[in-house]
Amino acid sequence: MKHLLLYFYITTLLIFSNCYISNDNMTINNPKNIILMIGDGMGLSQISAAMYSNGGQLNIEEAKYIGLIKTNSASSIITDSAAGATAFSTGKKTYNRAINMDVDTLPLRPITSLLSNYHIKTGIIATSSVTHATPACFYGNQIDRYHVDEDLADQFLKTNINVLMGGGEDYFNKRSDKRNLIDSLKNKNYVVIDSIIDFYNLSTEKLINFCAPKEPASILNGRGEFLPLATKTGISVLNTNNSHGFFLMIEGSQIDWGGHDMDSDYIISETLDFDLAISAVLEFAKEDKNTLVLITADHETGGYGITGGNTKTNTIHGDFLNDDHTASMVPIYAFGPGAENFIGTYHNTDVYYKILSSFQIKN
Ligand code: MG
Ligand code: ZN
């Protein structure tokens, strides 16, 4: 009898541990959803400065799988945000200022378009205008990133993207050709809102939110909770009737602008705001258990360094090499099923291929 009990005990243990292992194996390389978060210009010093001014800790630290990204473009050791985001969105290095164009100026297919073929829903959130280089690379094609906002708004209309949130409403409804693209968006069944208060109790699978006519304010100038709220709302819209998974790109756009302004306070406040969005994303991913979260940058901005400070008063002193991008590698943090595939040192273009293989899509 004693032996029989022991036998049952051990068998039960084995069955349960086996279930656990096979369950784990099922989800490990196969997330249903992927959220790619890009801190524009967010190098290690930017993260460190935000961390020290926040009492020595950030939400990003919850992502335990960490790698390093080589950011150079095809035309320069120092990338701009257009070539950087094109690498993430198409897997191709290209020349600076290109929005999803290859080195011969031939159009490349953005990842959102490819994923929608697999019925994966897609979304884009930024704290810049939605036609700025980084978000534009997730839906548009332009030979040169500058002075093409209205053309990009037009290109967005031709996509199947479910969620678009950020600034740049004027490029849709105050256009030089007098067309009102907001009406066209509504005809395509988008709910279009421009107030952060409207974010609650939405029930739609297609949402556009404009938080500013052109570029949104910085945190220091009163942008408020737009990014963390947009993040929660964007996720909940994409997760409504979500049978095939979703891909969401969230950009902390203005960390880079703080670097160009050589302004530590601007960098820190924007990075902390981005970290709040990270917290919202991780909260969802922990509950969902089927979402891979990637947090990275397109490049570093400013040659920013911490040259002094005080951990008791949470103050830092930052200094800059110049007011432009640098070629330093940037970190990538991963959380969730398949996160282990993102450790190591590799090119920005590999992020694209790793995302596709996480979705089990052959390229
Ligand atoms: Mg950007
Ligand atoms: Zn920049």
Side-chain angles (χ1 to χ4, degrees), residues 188-239:
K188 287 190 73 181
N189 296 321
Y190 284 101
V191 169
V192 184
I193 56 173
D194 58 8
S195 162
I196 204 159
I197 295 157
D198 295 339
F199 279 11
Y200 301 104
N201 304 320
L202 276 170
S203 96
T204 176
E205 290 178 51
K206 293 177 85 175
L207 175 70
I208 310 275
N209 166 237
F210 293 114
C211 64
K214 288 193 165 77
E215 297 307 332
S218 65
I219 285 290
L220 294 176
N221 287 324
R223 189 172 72 241
E225 292 183 291
F226 166 74
L227 187 60
L229 279 179
T231 296
K232 284 181 196 169
T233 306
I235 289 172
S236 102
V237 168
L238 289 168
N239 204 32

Side-chain angles (χ1 to χ4, degrees), residues 295-334:
I295 309 154
T296 188
D298 48 358
H299 53 73
E300 194 277 341
T301 306
Y304 184 48
I306 299 169
T307 53
N310 188 325
T311 53
K312 289 190 180 66
T313 53
N314 297 335
T315 51
I316 72 112
H317 181 75
D319 216 338
F320 297 84
L321 285 174
N322 61 31
D323 65 355
D324 213 337
H325 306 170
T326 70
S328 286
M329 291 192 289
V330 291
I332 179 163
Y333 292 75

Side-chain angles (χ1 to χ4, degrees), residues 38-41 81-82 85 126 128 132-135 145 251-254 256-257 298-299:
I38 303 174
D40 197 317
S81 296
S128 62
H132 214 271
T134 313
R145 62 184 280 188
E251 186 199 20
S253 318
Q254 299 195 28
D256 172 68
W257 304 357
D298 48 358
H299 53 73

